Amino acid sequence: ASGRDGAPEPRGAISGRILCAQTGEPVKGASVQAEGSDQDHSWRQAALSSADGSFSFERLPSGAYSLFLEKAGYQPYSSREPVSLDSNQRRSGIEIKLNRAVVITGRVTDADGLPVVGSQVATYRFVWSNGRRCLNRSEEARTDDRGVYRLFGLPAGRYLIGASASNQELPQGEVDLRLASLFYPAAARPSEAAALEARWGQDLSEINFVLRPQPTYAVSGVVADAATGGPCRSCIVRAITMEEDYTFSDHRAAITPDGSFRVRGLLPGSYRVRAEKMDRPGHHAVSSRTVQITNRNLRDVNLLAGAGHTVAGRVVLESPPADFGKVDIPIFLTADGPGERLPVKSDLSFEATGLAAETYRLLVPRLPQGAYLKALRVAGRDLPRPEIEVPEDGDVAQLELVLAFDSPTLAGRVKPPDSAGSGHRVTAATIVLFPQENQSGFVVQRRAGADPSGSFTVTGIAPGAYTVFAFPPSPTSEWEDPEVRRRLQSYGKSIDLGAGKQEAVELSLAPLAAEPQ
């Protein structure tokens, strides 16, 4: 057979089978795509796996093909390494194992055992960001007329499960006696809940909740817009608990046309009530107040978005190289919400306005070559860590951000896992340096990538003691969890990096062991 231009039709082929990783049974009806390309063309073919899990692609030109698989109830799959085809080559016997997703089911009732219809059940996952643990809401479901819920298609991992009654009709009284939200098995707060370790293919059943009436309280007030002098109708108001060991917020309120808000369902404790408004691209007008709830509602918690405090200062370069030129140095201040960028001017000064009275972490995600953040000073006083406290009664001026250029350099290579066969090589890895304990707050985590040969070089490191790991590329950063690193400690290397020193290290690629298998 010949193609349209008279050339012979390509006769390359790829075939294989798809199996369930947990049971070994064939997976029928999986969507399989093969995508390949060369310098001038790209190709894509699609197929469905048959009853015995088999699939095949025919009439393929020579090239490198990536395989992508999807099937409801299973983890999506993409091949790590492409399948190479020579001219008219037929590759067979490819076996792909799909992980069956997690299913969580249970029932929500009230204290009398009656179903709570339409209650909301959600999964929460621990996510690490910039060294801080956060609790992020992911999948959710509602109960049916029996009070039964079913969460499905979940990846393996560590979850908290929360349940709450929705659309409760409550009088506007001093105390809301409502069916209180719970975290499994019967915790009022996330920090008191039991985490579920879900493995691929597991069906976790009887994850039940009993919602009981409980007095909760409200915070109310008015949000004004400093730019217009009127109500800030586009603002979002959140109440963020300050009593958890990780960031978590599940209480928010809409703004009425007159600018008023009422955040309900709060237990006694300390909260930061925060209003946010997207003022312009890359800038959030923010206002916040810290409140303490005891046994009554709080009123007149008024906020003014956009008329906050100012942080001003300059970047100080300590012993920059002789050929150092003008560079863009992005600086961000971040609290519980989106980060606020501080534009650095040509004279290395910067200023941010409209900031709330909060504690901000200072981040410099892209440093000049070989530089690191050495110190942060306010009016000549060194701060213990890269954090700035913006007081309620004033601004922060004379802030100095000191960048030093005597960074140590760490180079090395990544070895394949011990279980890998001969000839296997590492084509991608993430190198992470974790600061060891009892050091300066400016000795911070660093990341870098390995090249296709497994080699890496890391610069811009603050001098100090670190434990270095090589992890496979992953969309999550579960390895920021100290418990995960304890499980993988045999893969880490301890190293002391002095100022201006050059060190070398060889690392074994750690397994993807952050999630239950």
Side-chain angles (χ1 to χ4, degrees):
S2 299
R4 293 179 181 177
D5 58 358
E9 285 279 8
R11 298 194 303 275
I14 297 174
S15 62
R17 293 183 72 204
I18 305 171
L19 305 175
C20 175
Q22 284 66 48
T23 66
E25 297 177 350
V27 178
K28 176 185 177 182
S31 171
V32 190
Q33 283 198 15
E35 296 183 4
S37 64
D38 61 18
Q39 293 182 348
D40 302 315
H41 302 88
S42 61
W43 305 275
R44 177 182 296 175
Q45 284 194 28
L48 290 177
S49 59
S50 59
D52 63 354
S54 63
F55 68 92
S56 65
F57 298 100
E58 302 288 338
R59 294 188 296 179
L60 296 177
S62 61
Y65 289 84
S66 297
L67 300 180
F68 303 93
L69 284 74
E70 287 188 339
K71 168 71 175 177
Y74 289 83
Q75 181 195 28
Y77 170 92
S78 60
S79 54
R80 290 190 181 178
E81 295 186 2
V83 179
S84 296
L85 280 184
D86 295 331
S87 180
N88 298 329
Q89 183 183 12
R90 303 182 70 84
R91 293 284 300 271
S92 61
I94 296 173
E95 186 176 273
I96 298 174
K97 294 183 177 180
L98 293 184
N99 282 310
R100 190 164 65 84
V102 175
V103 176
I104 301 175
T105 59
R107 192 164 182 254
V108 182
T109 62
D110 62 18
D112 296 322
L114 299 175
V116 181
V117 179
S119 62
Q120 193 171 61
V121 182
T123 61
Y124 298 84
R125 297 201 70 181
F126 295 107
V127 177
W128 287 79
S129 175
N130 298 314
R132 300 180 69 183
R133 187 169 67 153
C134 306
L135 193 60
N136 281 5
R137 190 184 187 107
S138 51
E139 303 299 321
E140 60 185 47
R142 291 191 180 273
T143 56
D144 60 17
D145 59 330
R146 302 166 296 169
V148 174
Y149 72 90
R150 187 172 188 269
L151 293 158
F152 59 93
L154 304 174
R158 191 165 180 250
Y159 292 95
L160 297 188
I161 313 297
S164 59
S166 59
N167 301 323
Q168 299 185 62
E169 295 296 333
L170 300 172
Q172 297 289 327
E174 182 63 27
V175 177
D176 288 345
L177 190 63
R178 62 167 57 197
L179 294 176
S181 301
L182 285 181
F183 290 86
Y184 185 79
R189 302 182 185 278
S191 57
E192 301 164 353
L196 298 178
E197 295 281 358
R199 299 182 180 276
W200 289 112
Q202 272 194 312
D203 287 353
L204 300 177
S205 60
E206 300 298 322
I207 307 300
N208 300 328
F209 297 87
V210 178
L211 302 185
R212 303 176 187 277
Q214 181 176 344
T216 61
Y217 303 93
V219 173
S220 60
V222 174
V223 183
D225 188 336
T228 65
C232 187
R233 300 186 183 92
S234 61
C235 282
I236 297 174
V237 176
R238 298 187 296 149
I240 303 164
T241 179
M242 300 178 67
E243 298 186 351
E244 302 292 346
D245 63 346
Y246 41 77
T247 301
F248 173 72
S249 171
D250 199 33
H251 300 282
R252 61 179 60 204
I255 307 295
T256 63
D258 65 355
S260 62
F261 70 91
R262 182 179 172 89
V263 183
R264 307 176 72 180
L266 302 177
L267 296 172
S270 297
Y271 295 87
R272 176 174 288 134
V273 182
R274 180 183 177 98
E276 297 174 3
K277 174 198 173 189
M278 179 61 83
D279 193 16
R280 58 183 183 273
H283 182 275
H284 286 75
V286 177
S287 179
S288 73
R289 287 179 59 180
T290 301
V291 300
Q292 180 73 33
I293 297 177
T294 53
N295 58 357
R296 65 182 61 187
N297 292 335
L298 298 181
R299 298 183 176 87
D300 299 323
V301 180
N302 300 326
L303 303 168
L304 181 61
H309 303 277
T310 298
V311 170
R314 65 189 183 97
V315 176
V316 177
L317 305 179
E318 190 174 277
S319 301
D323 59 351
F324 183 79
K326 180 181 178 181
V327 295
D328 178 30
I329 304 175
I331 304 173
F332 289 86
L333 294 178
T334 178
D336 297 306
E340 182 75 21
R341 178 162 182 162
L342 283 69
V344 178
K345 301 177 183 178
S346 58
D347 63 354
L348 299 183
S349 66
F350 56 79
E351 180 179 277
T353 59
L355 298 177
E358 293 184 358
T359 299
Y360 292 88
R361 286 173 293 139
L362 187 142
L363 304 175
V364 189
R366 190 176 68 254
L367 287 160
Q369 180 68 30
Y372 64 93
L373 178 58
K374 182 177 182 179
L376 198 62
R377 302 185 185 121
V378 175
R381 177 177 59 87
D382 282 357
L383 301 181
R385 59 187 62 86
E387 292 183 352
I388 303 167
E389 183 74 34
V390 177
E392 293 188 3
D393 58 352
D395 300 325
V396 176
Q398 302 181 52
L399 178 67
E400 290 185 330
L401 187 153
V402 182
L403 299 184
F405 289 80
D406 59 348
S407 164
T409 299
L410 179 65
R413 74 179 189 92
V414 184
K415 300 185 299 182
D418 295 337
S419 59
S422 61
H424 186 89
R425 63 189 181 94
V426 174
T427 58
T430 301
I431 313 302
V432 190
L433 287 74
F434 296 98
Q436 296 180 9
E437 296 180 353
N438 303 319
Q439 298 187 91
S440 162
F442 291 87
V443 179
V444 297
Q445 182 190 127
R446 283 298 314 276
R447 302 185 197 181
D451 66 20
S453 70
S455 299
F456 63 87
T457 301
V458 191
T459 60
I461 311 167
Y466 297 85
T467 303
V468 190
F469 287 85
F471 295 104
S474 172
T476 64
S477 299
E478 301 269 349
W479 29 259
E480 290 199 42
D481 187 341
E483 178 58 34
V484 171
R485 298 202 299 277
R486 277 191 288 271
R487 296 203 299 263
L488 301 175
Q489 60 183 341
S490 62
Y491 293 88
K493 293 286 184 70
S494 294
I495 192 163
D496 196 349
L497 298 173
K501 301 295 185 181
Q502 295 189 7
E503 302 287 347
V505 66
E506 187 175 67
L507 301 172
S508 294
L509 186 67
L512 280 173
E515 295 180 339
Q517 300 299 305

